[in-house]
Amino acid sequence: MDHLLFLLPASHHSPEEITSILKKHPEIKFVSLVGVDLGGNDTDEKIPVNLFLNDIDHFLTCGVQTDGSSVILPEIATLNNAKVDLIPDKSVNWFVDYNFDHYDAQTNLPVGTLRIPSFLIHNNVKVDSRSILFNAVGHFKNQILKLLKEYPYVLEALGINSTDDIEEVVLTAATELEFWVKTPDDKADIEQLSTSQVLKEQYWKRTIGPVRTAMEQSLLALNNYGLEAEMGHKEVGGVKAKLTENGSFDHIMEQLEIDWKYCTALQCADNELIARDVVKDTFMANGLEVTFMAKPIEGVAGNGEHHHVGVALKLKNGKMKNLFAPIDMKKDYMNPIGFGAIMGLLKNYEVVNPFVTATNDAFNRLKPGFEAPVCTVCSIGHSAESPSRNRTVLVGLIRDMKNPMATRFELRSPNPTSNTYLVLASVYQAMLDGIQAALQNNKASYELEETLSKKAGEASFYLEKERAYRSEEDVFEDYTEKERVALFGKPPATVWDNLVNFEKYPEKKSVLLKGNVFNESIINSYKTATLTQWTTELYNRIIPENMNIVRSYKKLHKNDYVTDLDVVTWEKINHLRYYLMKDSLNKKSLFTKIREAIDKEDYETVSKLQLEMNNKMNTLNELYTIYKRNLFEL
């Protein structure tokens, strides 16, 4: 391992340095240009290193070509205009991905592939997720400097004399990766998992066996890639593994989290790609399956991926200033820019959410009772002097009284399948809108705190009158569902509910379009891709899986030992089975109605019927569990 090259930093991307380094590492046999399409998929090909080095200047400038069928760019890279170029990004770190199942005979080292983050270019325009975030970062930096010059009153709140003292605006981000691991072919016992979760038997407990080994190996491997791993621990989900007769562990089913150090926004998203590969490969090498699904097991905790977002100013004297933190941490929660940023994110969240929650799986996670946010509301703490953490809100303010530079926002809604590039890009656009409103109205911190804390029905210069935006209470325990909807708005329940917000809130969509960070073509392409994924999965995966469940729920009781409760419960179950799946000459089942609505592209109806199907399936599962529980023999 000491002889392997894992990281090629941005400072070493000249043709001469790249050539020298690759010749010193003959175990690196391939180069792969990594573009990230609008679906969040990263490309991977194997270009022989010698071919890359023979014309390195051309590769670094012109990249390679592919076609639209290789990437998700619907309505952009069409069948009759499919040429897409992958152009290397020399501003970020490049990583070497090793195949530890394939060793080079000459060096006796694993074969490596140099993965080069790249942009996707179509008709001379960047159309990929990475470029959208790249543009968002540039636009945010430029606008912040412009605002500071136009509204110098805020410089005092930052402790800066003049904008001439500023060298650079620095956008930082970090993600927390949660995932489930299990031994292959093991099936979940929902009741055991749910009981363990309620009792918190696994949360932060000591890892053992192959899980511990894989966790430690993953943390060390992340350091090789320069990610500076900070923590790995058990999450709330899971059950205890079983020790077999030969001393090995079996029936492993645990939820874990791994965190690494924050960095600049684009590098953060790139780091996440290599981190997933490292985690998955390492746990697989230890005989464990990994899933990053948002809700791999119904009825127990899903996998979140909280996004931490911060902004700082690098001064010409070398000092750093947090753009959100106040001068007096005990007096104010934030300065005006910080308050404006969180208000912008909350007000415009309807057009941020489609990038955060874009799949059926993601919506399965966002339910009360599993520490996943369902309300567009924030928490900034019970008092400025004593920071607190409210785990029930969408956005939380993170503060460290001894370290103002740690002041940041935690967006709790993303999951590991969220496209971090698009999430961060839309978050920056939304925050910038709120910052502009706060500064243009010359608002001080105390005025903005009052605005953020307003009650539903109170008018505001920026936030919507009928909504409340701050709660320091447990929004699940201290409010009924009806009260939550009245105060914080009705949350979307399906992919369609989210996508339709682009049309429902045109003024908020315009926030995304500012600075040409997003454009109509990109948003329409994203909508088409997401819509296709939603309906295809529903039609060809979810409904067939539900059909198999319905078929598997058979009558189990016999005339001996049967009670009236067994008979009545089975009748309820059978009625639901027929309603969900069985067609007749004059009546169609719910599954058929959904398929027909998809065929007609009646997505509003599909959305409503999907929610009905989910409710019916939950009821069916609960009834069958109760039914089996009352039988002597199965």
Side-chain angles (χ1 to χ4, degrees):
M1 295 288 284
D2 293 338
H3 301 289
L4 297 179
L5 174 73
F6 291 92
L7 174 67
L8 200 60
S11 58
H12 291 66
H13 289 172
S14 69
E16 295 76 19
E17 286 181 289
I18 296 168
T19 301
S20 173
I21 290 170
L22 289 179
K23 286 186 175 180
K24 290 178 182 178
H25 290 275
E27 71 276 6
I28 302 175
K29 301 292 185 182
F30 304 101
V31 170
S32 175
L33 301 189
V34 183
V36 182
D37 63 25
L38 297 183
N41 307 297
D42 55 307
T43 61
D44 184 31
E45 69 282 298
K46 301 293 179 185
I47 301 171
V49 161
N50 61 336
L51 184 65
F52 172 73
L53 292 179
N54 285 343
D55 198 5
I56 188 171
D57 290 314
H58 180 270
F59 266 101
L60 294 179
T61 304
C62 302
V64 298
Q65 292 184 13
T66 185
D67 64 80
S69 64
S70 306
V71 290
I72 295 180
L73 296 169
E75 300 183 16
I76 294 178
T78 57
L79 287 176
N80 63 341
N81 189 12
K83 177 176 169 289
V84 176
D85 297 314
L86 284 88
I87 308 297
D89 181 0
K90 293 186 283 186
S91 71
V92 294
N93 296 336
W94 299 352
F95 302 110
V96 182
D97 177 29
Y98 287 100
N99 183 356
F100 289 96
D101 292 325
H102 180 199
Y103 276 70
D104 175 44
Q106 293 181 335
T107 64
N108 199 32
L109 294 173
V111 171
T113 299
L114 178 63
R115 286 173 57 83
I116 303 177
S118 304
F119 299 115
L120 299 177
I121 313 292
H122 182 262
N123 288 345
N124 298 316
V125 177
K126 292 178 180 177
V127 292
D128 60 293
S129 296
R130 295 189 76 258
S131 66
I132 294 170
L133 178 54
F134 180 86
N135 293 337
V137 169
H139 179 62
F140 191 98
K141 290 181 176 182
N142 292 335
Q143 291 302 304
I144 286 295
L145 290 174
K146 181 181 177 181
L147 288 168
L148 292 177
K149 290 178 182 178
E150 290 181 359
Y151 305 99
Y153 84 93
V154 79
L155 293 176
E156 183 178 350
L158 291 167
I160 300 174
N161 295 322
S162 168
T163 54
D164 293 336
D165 297 335
I166 301 172
E167 180 178 319
E168 184 185 5
V169 179
V170 181
L171 277 67
T172 58
T175 57
E176 305 171 5
L177 185 62
E178 293 179 3
F179 54 96
W180 278 83
V181 300
K182 71 181 187 72
T183 42
D185 301 323
D186 267 355
K187 294 184 179 180
D189 185 316
I190 305 300
E191 289 188 276
Q192 285 188 32
L193 288 167
S194 180
T195 301
S196 178
Q197 177 177 306
V198 172
L199 296 176
K200 296 188 180 296
E201 292 177 334
Q202 294 291 301
Y203 201 29
W204 289 85
K205 294 297 189 294
R206 179 173 176 265
T207 52
I208 59 174
V211 175
R212 175 176 179 172
T213 300
M215 172 75 85
E216 293 172 349
Q217 290 174 347
S218 295
L219 294 172
L220 294 173
L222 292 179
N223 287 337
N224 290 333
Y225 287 104
L227 270 63
E228 298 184 57
E230 293 186 328
M231 186 185 300
H233 65 84
K234 282 195 179 187
E235 260 293 338
V236 67
V239 291
K240 291 182 179 179
K242 297 180 181 179
L243 190 64
T244 63
E245 292 180 356
N246 61 11
S248 62
F249 286 92
D250 201 358
H251 299 291
I252 294 171
M253 191 164 293
E254 299 181 16
Q255 188 184 30
L256 307 171
E257 178 181 319
I258 288 181
D259 308 326
W260 51 92
K261 192 175 181 181
Y262 69 89
C263 55
T264 57
L266 195 58
Q267 190 63 66
C268 165
D270 285 346
N271 286 353
E272 186 184 316
L273 293 182
I274 193 67
R276 291 167 189 260
D277 289 341
V278 166
V279 168
K280 195 161 224 175
D281 291 348
T282 304
F283 277 82
M284 284 176 59
N286 286 275
L288 297 168
E289 289 183 1
V290 171
T291 179
F292 299 118
M293 287 181 63
K295 192 75 167 181
I297 307 170
E298 186 60 41
V300 294
N303 292 322
E305 189 182 58
H306 305 158
H307 283 40
H308 292 252
V309 180
V311 185
L313 297 177
K314 182 179 180 181
L315 305 183
K316 292 177 181 178
N317 61 10
K319 293 183 179 180
M320 300 290 289
K321 288 281 186 179
N322 189 296
L323 200 66
F324 299 156
I327 293 293
D328 188 343
M329 294 285 287
K330 293 182 178 181
K331 178 183 176 184
D332 295 312
Y333 291 96
M334 291 176 282
N335 64 44
I337 292 177
F339 275 109
I342 200 168
M343 289 195 302
L345 177 54
L346 292 168
K347 180 181 177 180
N348 295 296
Y349 191 69
E350 285 89 353
V351 294
V352 174
N353 201 5
F355 302 110
V356 175
T357 311
T359 63
N360 293 298
D361 173 49
F363 274 100
N364 289 337
R365 170 179 168 261
L366 300 181
K367 297 176 181 177
F370 297 99
E371 295 187 357
V374 296
C375 302
T376 304
V377 61
C378 79
S379 164
I380 60 174
H382 293 285
S383 71
E385 294 182 345
S386 180
S388 59
R389 297 284 289 271
N390 186 343
R391 297 176 60 83
T392 69
V393 297
L394 175 74
V395 187
L397 172 64
I398 310 299
R399 304 171 71 231
D400 183 343
M401 302 301 288
K402 297 179 181 179
N403 180 18
M405 286 302 299
T407 304
R408 64 192 186 275
F409 302 134
E410 178 188 42
L411 181 63
R412 297 181 55 80
S413 50
N415 66 83
T417 65
S418 299
N419 185 333
T420 293
Y421 298 94
L422 300 185
V423 171
L424 290 176
S426 59
V427 165
Y428 291 139
Q429 292 290 93
M431 290 197 308
L432 187 58
D433 184 65
I435 294 170
Q436 288 173 331
L439 269 56
Q440 287 168 356
N441 285 276
N442 292 294
K443 296 293 184 180
S445 292
Y446 75 91
E447 294 175 300
L448 294 169
E449 182 185 342
E450 290 177 359
T451 299
L452 183 64
S453 308
K454 79 178 192 69
K455 295 182 177 0
E458 293 180 356
S460 155
F461 76 96
Y462 178 68
L463 297 177
E464 293 166 3
K465 180 179 179 180
E466 66 275 11
R467 297 263 299 276
Y469 291 89
R470 176 188 178 188
S471 175
E472 303 304 333
E473 309 300 326
D474 185 323
V475 298
F476 301 130
E477 296 293 332
D478 297 327
Y479 303 104
T480 65
E481 181 180 0
K482 185 177 180 180
E483 289 171 334
R484 288 197 297 267
V485 171
L487 291 171
F488 313 122
K490 185 177 181 180
T494 68
V495 173
W496 174 252
D497 284 351
N498 245 347
L499 292 178
V500 79
N501 280 343
F502 287 128
E503 279 68 50
K504 198 172 178 181
Y505 301 97
E507 74 287 355
K508 297 184 181 184
K509 185 177 76 169
S510 68
V511 170
L512 299 177
L513 303 178
K514 290 181 179 179
N516 200 32
V517 172
F518 291 86
N519 56 50
E520 293 287 359
S521 177
I522 289 291
I523 290 177
N524 288 336
S525 181
Y526 178 81
K527 282 173 53 183
T528 300
T530 305
L531 189 63
T532 299
Q533 181 188 33
W534 170 54
T535 54
T536 301
E537 184 181 39
L538 191 55
Y539 202 109
N540 296 323
R541 181 177 295 165
I542 295 176
I543 290 178
E545 287 176 352
N546 284 343
M547 291 173 69
N548 289 335
I549 292 173
V550 170
R551 289 190 181 105
S552 71
Y553 286 176
K554 301 179 184 297
K555 180 179 177 181
L556 299 175
H557 64 268
K558 301 175 183 178
N559 291 332
D560 298 336
Y561 311 114
V562 69
T563 68
D564 53 356
L565 178 61
D566 300 325
V567 174
V568 170
T569 305
W570 172 249
E571 288 301 319
K572 290 180 181 179
I573 292 168
N574 212 28
H575 175 75
L576 275 174
R577 293 171 74 231
Y578 271 74
Y579 181 80
L580 285 161
M581 183 174 162
K582 195 71 171 175
D583 291 335
S584 65
L585 288 175
N586 57 8
K587 190 174 183 180
K588 294 176 180 177
S589 69
L590 184 56
F591 293 159
T592 298
K593 289 179 182 178
I594 296 173
R595 286 192 291 256
E596 289 182 349
I598 292 173
D599 291 336
K600 294 175 183 177
E601 299 183 0
D602 182 0
Y603 302 124
E604 188 70 35
T605 298
V606 174
S607 178
K608 292 177 181 177
L609 293 177
Q610 180 184 11
L611 293 178
E612 183 184 0
M613 178 184 69
N614 293 344
N615 290 332
K616 297 291 186 187
M617 288 300 301
N618 287 338
T619 301
L620 179 66
N621 292 331
E622 291 169 3
L623 281 172
Y624 202 69
T625 298
I626 293 169
Y627 171 64
K628 289 196 301 181
R629 195 182 291 155
N630 200 48
L631 299 178
F632 287 135
E633 298 179 4
L634 297 176

